Amino acid sequence: MTTLSDSANSQASQDGSPADQSGSQAMIEAHDLSKFYGNFAATRNVSFSIKQGEVAAFLGPNGAGKSTTMKLLTGYLAPSTGYASIAGHNMASDRIAGAKHLGYLPENGPLYPDMSAHSLLTFFGNARGISGRRLEERMESVIGTCNLASVIRKPIGKLSKGFRQRVGMAQALLHDPDVLILDEPTAGLDPNQIREVRKMIRELGEKKTILLSTHILQEVQAMCNRVVFINEGRMVFDGTPAELTRQQPDLDHRFHELTGAEAIL
Ligand SMILES: Nc1ncnc2c1ncn2[C@@H]1O[C@H](COP(=O)(O)OP(=O)(O)OP(=O)(O)O)[C@@H](O)[C@H]1O
C-alpha cells in the first residue's frame, strides 16, 4: 500500500505539489486521516496518494467511511488526526489554493430545488470568482459536457435524479479543476444513466485526476486504473484493479474476503 514515507520521499514540483521519481505529481493525498464521533471512528489512520492522471475507485460497503474520508479530503470536515492535501496544498491550512484545483460532487447536493440549473451554475461561478465572458464560456462548456441544455431553465427540484446528478457534475466541473472527487456519482441512476455517467467519467479521466466512491465492484473495471478499498473505517487494499483480483478473480468473493459482506454487482 502507498505509505506516508512515499509522500515524504517525493520531490516538490513547481506549484508545490509533490512529484515522485517518475515525475507524476500526487494530486490527492490522505495523510493518516481519522475522524472520531465521540469514541466511534468513522475513519481511522487512512493514508493514500493518488497521482496525476489516475482514476481511482474508492470502494467499500455501506458505512465503511467513504463519504467521511471524501469530506476530509475536500476540507468540508476537519480531521481528528492527520491532514489532506489537494495538488500539494494542505486542506486545513491552505484550503483556498487547494479548492481551485478541486471539483467535488457530494453524495447529496448541494442543489437548491427552487433554483434552475442556470441560476445555480451562475451562483457557483460567481462564488468562485468567475464572471462575464469567462463564466459564459465555462457554462457553455459544462452544459455541453453534462448534456443539460434541455433542462437548463427548469427548477432543479422538478428534474429527474439523473439530471440532478448531471447538474451536480456541472457544478463540480465549472471552474475546470484538474482534480475531481465524486461521491457515488452513479448511485440511484437507471442503467442508461449509469452508462452515460461512466462514459463522461472515462472522458474526464483522460485529462483529470479522479477519485470516485462506489460500493459496486463493476465500476472499477468500467472506469478505474486504481483501487483504494476501505472497510469499517480502515484501508484494506490499495493497488490496481488487476492486483485486486489477482488471487481471487471472482469480484463477489473478493468483496467478501475484504469485508465479510456480499458484493453488489
Ligand atoms: N455526523 C456523524 N455522526 C456520527 N456518526 C457518523 C456521522 N457521519 C457519519 N457517521 C458514521 O460514520 C460511518 C461512516 O459513514 P460514511 O457516510 O462515511 O460511510 P460510507 O462509506 O460513505 O457509506 P455509504 O456507502 O452508505 O454512503 C457510519 O457508521 C456512519 O453512521
Side-chain angles (χ1 to χ4, degrees):
M1 294 203 299
T2 306
T3 63
L4 280 178
S5 59
D6 294 334
S7 304
N9 290 337
S10 60
Q11 303 161 346
S13 68
Q14 282 179 342
D15 76 343
S17 343
D20 71 7
Q21 303 301 329
S22 65
S24 299
Q25 291 177 18
M27 298 302 281
I28 304 172
E29 292 173 284
H31 302 268
D32 198 32
L33 281 177
S34 303
K35 182 69 186 176
F36 288 92
Y37 293 107
N39 289 328
F40 175 74
T43 67
R44 197 188 279 267
N45 307 112
V46 170
S47 292
F48 59 83
S49 171
I50 310 295
K51 295 194 181 70
Q52 195 168 41
E54 285 187 311
V55 178
F58 197 28
L59 272 171
N62 288 127
K66 302 180 296 295
S67 296
T68 303
T69 305
M70 287 182 145
K71 286 178 193 161
L72 296 172
L73 287 169
T74 55
Y76 277 72
L77 266 184
S80 307
T81 71
Y83 67 99
S85 305
I86 299 293
H89 302 283
N90 184 319
M91 292 306 276
S93 58
D94 199 13
R95 184 175 169 190
I96 291 174
K100 286 189 179 148
H101 291 267
L102 175 66
Y104 173 39
L105 176 72
E107 198 173 10
N108 303 305
L111 297 176
Y112 303 101
D114 295 333
M115 284 176 111
S116 67
H118 190 277
S119 310
L120 185 101
L121 293 175
T122 306
F123 170 75
F124 274 101
N126 290 334
R128 289 176 179 142
I130 313 170
S131 58
R133 185 74 200 117
R134 168 83 180 137
L135 181 57
E136 280 171 30
E137 281 168 10
R138 287 305 308 150
M139 287 196 30
E140 207 173 294
S141 169
V142 298
I143 289 165
T145 303
C146 301
N147 231 329
L148 281 173
S150 61
V151 300
I152 193 71
R153 301 277 175 185
K154 287 190 185 168
I156 291 167
K158 300 243 184 299
L159 300 181
S160 67
K161 167 87 181 155
F163 272 112
R164 284 203 302 274
Q165 195 73 330
R166 287 191 217 177
V167 175
M169 284 292 287
Q171 167 280 125
L173 292 169
L174 191 58
H175 54 308
D176 198 17
D178 42 7
V179 177
L180 290 174
I181 293 185
L182 310 175
D183 198 349
E184 302 212 24
T186 57
L189 303 185
D190 71 32
N192 289 336
Q193 292 167 334
I194 288 176
R195 231 189 331 270
E196 274 181 37
V197 170
R198 286 180 182 170
K199 179 168 172 279
M200 191 195 304
I201 290 170
R202 270 196 298 271
E203 286 166 5
L204 289 167
E206 288 169 15
K207 293 195 180 139
K208 299 181 189 295
T209 306
I210 301 178
L211 178 67
L212 65 95
S213 71
T214 179
H215 35 81
I216 303 174
L217 285 168
Q218 267 187 353
E219 306 255 88
V220 177
Q221 292 171 326
M223 293 183 278
C224 304
N225 49 28
R226 172 81 181 276
V227 185
V228 176
F229 205 120
I230 187 172
N231 187 47
E232 294 180 351
R234 294 177 189 273
M235 275 180 64
V236 291
F237 177 84
D238 182 6
T240 64
E243 285 163 354
L244 178 70
T245 51
R246 184 163 292 155
Q247 306 286 336
Q248 173 51 270
D250 183 292
L251 285 174
D252 199 13
H253 281 98
R254 188 67 176 120
F255 194 93
H256 186 69
E257 276 176 4
L258 289 168
T259 66
E262 300 300 327
I264 302 164
L265 296 172

